[in-house]
Amino acid sequence: MNTQTNTPTSSQKPKILVARAIFPEALAKLEESFEVQSNQADQILTPAQLQDALSKVSAALVTGSERIDANALAHAKNLKIVANISVGYNNFDVPAITAAGAMATNTPDVLTDTTADFGFALLMATARRITESEHWIRAGKWDKWSIVNNPLGMDLHHSTVGIIGMGRIGQGIAKRALGFGMKVIYHNRSRLSEADEKACGASYVSKEELLKTADHVVLVLPYSAQSHHTIGAAELALMKPSATLINIARGGIVDDAALAQALKNGQIFAAGLDVFEGEPQVHPELLKLSNVVLAPHIASATEKTRRAMVDLAIENVYAALAGKKPPSLINAKAFKA
Ligand code: DGY
């Protein structure tokens, strides 16, 4: 009797790396088709461990914690795809990935609204001093209602929000701001079409004008060598003393030391930060200040959206290993039909 079946044995299955912990159901799905080297312990791989792991697999699911560059790819002879579980991909050296013959993908769209919601929440918490107020209550400092001696914040309604980086998430924030009766100005590498500007009620201005006139500055631009320290001491000096600064983009876009100084000196009113230079380390001076709201890079962190991000990354891997074009391919040159 022939007992052979068509179920792939583990040695026939393509090998893949899942570099960080993912939802167990997603891992189980991957294990049906692939021999998976997983990392449910969620310990960040060292560069040597990452290089070794990439040398053994056809596909890798990674996050911003894994730097994928020529060094990481040095022995990755069979790698066909590196799928980032993140929309931002400043952890990728895209030319190096292309040179290694691999496709690079990210997870756009599925996190746009969740991230825009969070940007708005951080803006509100910052302008209205919500976390500072909570700390104040927990410290037993609230002894009476007071007209002047309670945390007085800044209004959002009818104020001007200045958005730097007007991609999908920036536009999502603009649309939310319209609902609050805010005036929306923006600065971006390229100007939006007239129709897109109209949909967001947004006017294009120079970076300088934005910094000088906005009551609230929201950063949503991608990180690159060009956007490093988009906001430093000189830019902070242009902002109003009553202004807030919100960074949901990437650490390194703001000079955190200069920001801490500006917040300490009252050069700007407050800041809300979801991302930091050198995170998960936070500049020690920022930790001492009460006029900054701190969050641990959670703008896309709802369960539904994180599942959608993982699912899209998996879809990219399945497509690449089946010889199809992944839905969110970054380096078109690497796809050979
Ligand atoms: C993203 O998707 O870019 C988020 O910031 C998570 O890294």
Side-chain angles (χ1 to χ4, degrees):
M1 195 169 71
N2 185 356
T3 53
Q4 218 175 355
T5 70
N6 289 330
T7 310
T9 62
S10 113
S11 60
Q12 291 169 318
K13 291 178 178 176
K15 294 189 168 88
I16 72 165
L17 167 71
V18 181
R20 298 293 305 277
I22 59 171
F23 299 100
E25 306 78 13
L27 189 59
K29 181 177 179 224
L30 285 168
E31 282 169 343
E32 285 169 16
S33 313
F34 306 116
E35 190 180 324
V36 183
Q37 180 186 335
S38 63
N39 178 12
Q40 291 301 87
D42 217 18
Q43 293 295 328
I44 295 178
L45 300 178
T46 64
Q49 287 170 331
L50 182 62
Q51 189 191 65
D52 181 54
L54 291 175
S55 74
K56 297 177 180 146
V57 296
S58 306
L61 286 103
V62 301
T63 70
S65 315
E66 290 73 48
R67 171 98 193 125
I68 309 296
D69 56 12
N71 181 51
L73 297 165
H75 308 295
K77 300 290 169 251
N78 298 318
L79 191 67
K80 294 195 170 49
I81 176 169
V82 198
N84 224 20
I85 308 172
S86 158
V87 65
Y89 52 88
N90 53 298
N91 58 316
F92 280 4
D93 178 339
V94 177
I97 297 173
T98 309
M103 288 180 263
T105 60
N106 65 339
T107 57
D109 301 318
V110 293
L111 48 62
T112 301
D113 282 319
T114 297
T115 305
D117 279 354
F118 183 83
F120 219 82
L122 192 56
L123 170 56
M124 294 190 77
T126 304
R128 298 300 305 272
R129 303 174 65 177
I130 292 175
T131 55
E132 185 187 348
S133 296
E134 185 182 344
H135 291 148
W136 199 63
I137 291 181
R138 288 183 192 273
K141 291 184 183 161
W142 189 30
D143 58 351
K144 57 186 172 300
W145 187 91
S146 167
I147 291 174
V148 289
N149 292 316
N150 279 167
L152 302 181
M154 294 293 165
D155 278 322
L156 262 69
H157 68 87
H158 303 100
S159 67
T160 297
V161 63
I163 303 172
I164 303 186
M166 202 57 155
R168 288 166 282 227
I169 299 168
Q171 291 176 47
I173 289 171
K175 287 173 187 159
R176 283 156 178 77
L178 291 183
F180 277 72
M182 295 167 88
K183 178 176 171 190
V184 180
I185 56 177
Y186 78 98
H187 184 73
N188 198 43
R189 270 176 309 185
S190 48
R191 195 168 166 171
L192 297 184
S193 68
E194 214 174 300
D196 285 344
E197 280 190 355
K198 202 162 160 208
C200 308
S203 310
Y204 181 84
V205 294
S206 68
K207 180 175 152 192
E208 186 174 341
E209 184 180 342
L210 183 146
L211 292 169
K212 282 181 173 164
T213 54
D215 297 303
H216 307 287
V217 175
V218 182
L219 304 172
V220 208
L221 64 167
Y223 180 80
S224 65
Q226 291 70 38
S227 64
H228 183 73
H229 286 185
T230 292
I231 302 293
E235 290 75 19
L236 290 160
L238 294 175
M239 290 174 65
K240 298 178 184 180
S242 55
T244 69
L245 177 73
I246 308 301
N247 186 8
I248 57 163
R250 275 291 180 271
I253 286 184
V254 174
D255 176 344
D256 285 350
L259 174 62
Q261 198 58 39
L263 288 165
K264 203 165 153 184
N265 298 342
Q267 206 174 350
I268 67 169
F269 180 70
L273 307 173
D274 186 42
V275 286
F276 304 87
E277 287 192 287
E279 67 186 50
Q281 304 306 319
V282 175
H283 195 289
E285 291 303 314
L286 288 172
L287 293 172
K288 293 182 196 158
L289 298 166
S290 57
N291 56 344
V292 55
V293 178
L294 307 170
H297 201 150
I298 53 168
S300 65
T302 64
E303 181 164 341
K304 192 173 166 200
T305 291
R306 285 285 165 88
R307 284 185 185 276
M309 290 164 70
V310 171
D311 288 348
L312 178 53
I314 290 176
E315 206 183 323
N316 281 318
V317 167
Y318 270 102
L321 296 189
K324 297 186 186 137
K325 188 172 173 180
S328 38
L329 181 62
I330 296 163
N331 54 348
K333 271 198 275 183
F335 174 64
K336 302 197 180 47

